[in-house]
Amino acid sequence: MHPKRFVVALVCISFAVLAGPVAAQQSGAAPPAGQGATTPRNDNDGEPTRQRTDAALALGGRFEFITSGPVGQANAAANALTSAGATLLRARTFGTLNRSVQVFDLNGLPLAGARRILAQAAAQTQIDVHNFYRFAQSKPRIFAPQLVGLSGQGGCRANGLRIGMIDGPVDPRHPALAGAGLTVKSVLGPREKATDANHGTGVAALIVGDDPGGALTGFSPGAQLFAASAFAKERRGPAADVERIAAALDWLLSNRARLINMSFAGPSNTALADLIATSARRGAIMVAAVGNNSSTKATYPAASPNVIAVTAVDAAARRYRKANRGGYIEFAAPGVDLYVAKTRGGSYASGTSFAAPIVTGIAAHAVKRGAGSTAAVRSALRRGVTDLGSAGRDAEYGWGLVQIQGC
């Protein structure tokens, strides 16, 4: 059973979190209400420094901390941390990933100290604060297919290919999805309440929408979509934590859905990094939104070298004004004033959340043609890219605007 959880003060604008990886203060206690939770790592020594963050709290008001490591190290990691005063709150094993994820209340044990303990007792196990991750979304023509080189809608199918997504709930009854191959699974705990289905339904339809009217047809219709619902209602809005992201990755890979869309963004986190790296070793090809905070601070999972990072542009191929910038950005796709599916039909929306599934849909065709790795998909996407901004790769558009290179 999950402890009662709260969300502390945010640094995010819109739904993407930009706080760095964080830990509880050395006392282990959360700050008084209204003052914000603090303490991400200091780049110099790994010890906490003050900064607002967005993360789960245990019953005592302290931050939860989460480990990720090989299943064979789980007992050693738990024994070492509990011997040092930590309390094990819950644990889960994800067989496909060969990863044990354990959630702790460190009870005042500094994060740097916990890391030193694990370095001795379970060297491949990582620990970090249990961050939340939020939709990389903002709010309000059908221009996207033409902008990426698709003449008409519904003519570029990816029949039989398995695609995964980690998002909120998806409405399988939506007309754009009623004829699509869709498998949905919630990875929420028994006391966690799912967010509404608008974001997830919009993202799903951009990938596999099969709309008879054409307006909501996706970029890889005919594919089989496995949709993991990992976003719950938290105090400050919809969020997925590392534990739920791990469960989603494990389920998707166990179902051989290796091309995975992740339309969310948040801070650097060593446990999440381990899970992403492990998924990549298992053959996952991951695409993620860079977030909408008008910031140059790297966001994750997009900034991971194992993930293809996507920004958004409008109908004139100009960067979305709220989109984050940085050297980790790889490709741009339409994501401003897109007409997307919602639970009650469709509406216009903007955000890098909606650019990412377009790249995922285009990547699906590269995979169908034999691109079997992240490197191969990156190469396929670059071959047809339309350069934007400064010549070559830049911090606003990456390599440029993706283009469909045949079906």
Side-chain angles (χ1 to χ4, degrees), residues 96-97 162 164 166 248-250 252-254 256-262 275-287 304-308 367 371-378:
T96 304
L97 294 173
R162 293 186 173 218
I166 303 173
L249 287 168
D250 191 73
L252 292 174
L253 291 175
S254 71
R256 295 177 287 115
R258 297 191 304 113
L259 177 59
I260 300 172
N261 187 83
M262 299 182 289
L275 292 161
I276 293 294
T278 302
S279 297
R281 289 194 296 271
R282 297 292 190 276
I285 302 168
M286 295 165 281
V287 179
S304 167
N306 296 299
V307 177
I308 297 170
V367 174
S373 67
T374 301
V377 169
R378 281 185 167 123

Side-chain angles (χ1 to χ4, degrees), residues 145 148 150-163 175-182 203-212 214-225 259 357-358 360-365 368 404 406-407:
V148 299
L150 182 61
S151 57
Q153 290 186 299
C156 201
R157 303 186 68 83
N159 294 348
L161 185 69
R162 293 186 173 218
I163 301 175
L177 295 172
L182 181 63
V203 169
L206 282 167
I207 300 172
V208 297
D210 219 344
D211 181 12
L216 294 173
T217 293
F219 286 79
S220 50
Q224 299 294 309
L225 182 64
L259 177 59
I358 292 178
T360 298
I362 293 173
H365 302 294
K368 284 283 288 184
I404 289 179
C407 296

Side-chain angles (χ1 to χ4, degrees), residues 1-24:
M1 181 179 296
H2 288 255
K4 183 178 180 182
R5 306 168 68 181
F6 301 91
V7 180
V8 293
L10 308 173
V11 242
C12 66
I13 302 171
S14 302
F15 287 91
V17 181
L18 287 182
V22 295

Side-chain angles (χ1 to χ4, degrees), residues 365-391:
H365 302 294
V367 174
K368 284 283 288 184
R369 294 193 302 270
S373 67
T374 301
V377 169
R378 281 185 167 123
S379 178
L381 292 173
R382 281 190 60 186
R383 280 197 295 271
V385 74
T386 299
D387 195 8
L388 301 174
S390 303

